[in-house]
């Protein structure tokens, strides 16, 4: 008997290109999920337009209308819980989440970060990679835990840094990798293959001692 699609809520703050990659996977049937809602802290986030175009429920919860981070996250948690998701996907949600919210969704929340973690946590990752003279850069999907960009790693997309690269050129190539690896991690969750056991990411019942790594020309694993 075929399992029911995994209910998903996606959080966005900006253009939502990773959201679009997940929407495309849902449409094609490659991702056995149903996106129940897309929620943003910004009413002008283009990701909301992407969701509306796909017929997905959208909501805006403006953080500026709350006195502090704790009250905002409490309201956000209620909004998310109303859709009873099995997975929460952060797709460029530019908010540092409180420990309480993160623990509530522990093992059910994924994030994608534009660096090869643990290198370059935080912002301006492409600029920092160029300034540091790194030969490789990329993106990482990880489970969300209270420490910023420090949750257990799942999969990384790797690109070579070219001598002539600008920050914008490097960012564009990394983003192409994001659109490949994030839907894959979501699919693994939907298929019940990926889970969090304590502080360890488990894939197919085995601990991921190191994240799965793929390059631009590497076929995606099953």
């Amino acid at each position: 008997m075929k399992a029911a699609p995994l209910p998903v809520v996606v959080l966005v703050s900006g253009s939502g290109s990773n959201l679009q990659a997940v929407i495309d996977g849902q449409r094609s049937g490659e991702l056995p999920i149903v996106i129940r809602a897309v929620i943003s802290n910004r009413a002008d986030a283009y990701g909301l337009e992407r969701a509306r175009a796909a017929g997905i429920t959208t909501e805006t919860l403006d953080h500026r209308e709350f006195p502090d981070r704790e009250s905002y996250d409490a309201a956000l948690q209620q909004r998310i819980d109303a859709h009873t998701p099995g997975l929460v996907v952060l797709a460029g949600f530019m908010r540092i989440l409180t420990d309480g919210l993160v623990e509530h969704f522990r093992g059910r929340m994924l994030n994608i970060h534009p660096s090869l973690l643990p290198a370059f946590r935080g912002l301006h990752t492409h600029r920092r990679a160029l300034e540091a003279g790194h030969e490789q850069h990329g993106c990482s999907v990880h489970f969300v835990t209270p420490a910023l960009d420090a949750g257990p790693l799942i999969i990384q997309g790797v690109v070579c840094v070219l001598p002539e690269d600008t920050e914008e050129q490097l960012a564009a190539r990394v983003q192409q990798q994001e659109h490949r690896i994030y839907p894959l991690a979501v699919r693994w969750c939907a298929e019940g293959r990926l889970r969090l056991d304590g502080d360890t990411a488990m894939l197919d019942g085995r601990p991921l001692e190191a994240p799965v790594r793929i390059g631009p020309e590497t076929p995606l694993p099953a």
Side-chain angles (χ1 to χ4, degrees):
M1 185 176 179
K2 189 175 181 180
L6 180 71
V8 173
V9 169
V10 184
L11 306 185
V12 300
S13 293
S15 69
S17 67
N18 277 303
L19 164 65
Q20 189 64 59
V22 175
I23 290 174
D24 291 346
Q26 175 184 280
R27 279 176 168 168
S28 70
E30 293 180 10
L31 301 184
I33 65 171
V34 54
I35 303 173
R36 289 193 169 164
V38 173
I39 303 174
S40 180
N41 64 315
R42 298 178 56 93
D44 61 350
Y46 187 66
L48 296 174
E49 294 299 320
R50 296 179 188 271
R52 293 183 191 115
I56 297 169
T57 297
T58 63
E59 300 180 23
T60 300
L61 189 66
D62 191 336
H63 61 277
R64 295 170 296 184
E65 297 177 359
F66 292 81
D68 51 44
R69 194 178 301 276
E70 288 73 21
S71 59
Y72 178 79
D73 278 11
L76 179 60
Q77 180 177 312
Q78 288 185 334
R79 290 284 190 99
I80 298 171
D81 278 342
H83 300 284
T84 59
L87 184 67
V88 179
V89 173
L90 306 183
F93 189 61
M94 302 304 290
R95 297 276 302 167
I96 296 176
L97 303 176
T98 57
D99 291 2
L101 179 67
V102 169
E103 290 297 345
H104 180 74
F105 293 108
R106 187 177 182 86
R108 295 186 291 143
M109 181 179 280
L110 299 182
N111 184 48
I112 189 161
H113 182 74
S115 79
L116 297 176
L117 292 170
F120 308 126
R121 293 170 179 157
L123 302 175
H124 309 302
T125 60
H126 311 304
R127 182 190 313 166
R128 291 157 66 193
L130 289 172
E131 290 174 348
H134 282 204
E135 295 182 355
Q136 289 188 327
H137 186 46
C139 49
S140 307
V141 179
H142 63 94
F143 283 106
V144 178
T145 58
L148 180 65
D149 300 329
L153 293 170
I154 299 163
I155 185 170
Q156 294 182 319
V158 182
V159 301
C160 291
V161 180
L162 305 179
E164 66 273 18
D165 266 337
T166 64
E167 186 177 343
E168 292 74 21
Q169 290 169 331
L170 182 57
R173 293 206 310 283
V174 169
Q175 191 174 70
Q176 290 176 345
Q177 287 289 77
E178 292 178 17
H179 299 165
R180 299 180 74 210
I181 69 171
Y182 212 4
L184 179 59
V186 170
R187 176 164 66 80
W188 285 342
C189 286
E191 293 172 343
R193 298 171 56 193
L194 177 65
R195 62 184 178 86
L196 184 63
D197 183 5
D199 292 320
T200 303
M202 305 286 292
L203 182 62
D204 295 331
R206 297 182 178 181
L208 281 172
E209 297 179 359
V212 177
R213 276 200 165 196
I214 66 164
E217 308 302 325
T218 307
L220 291 177

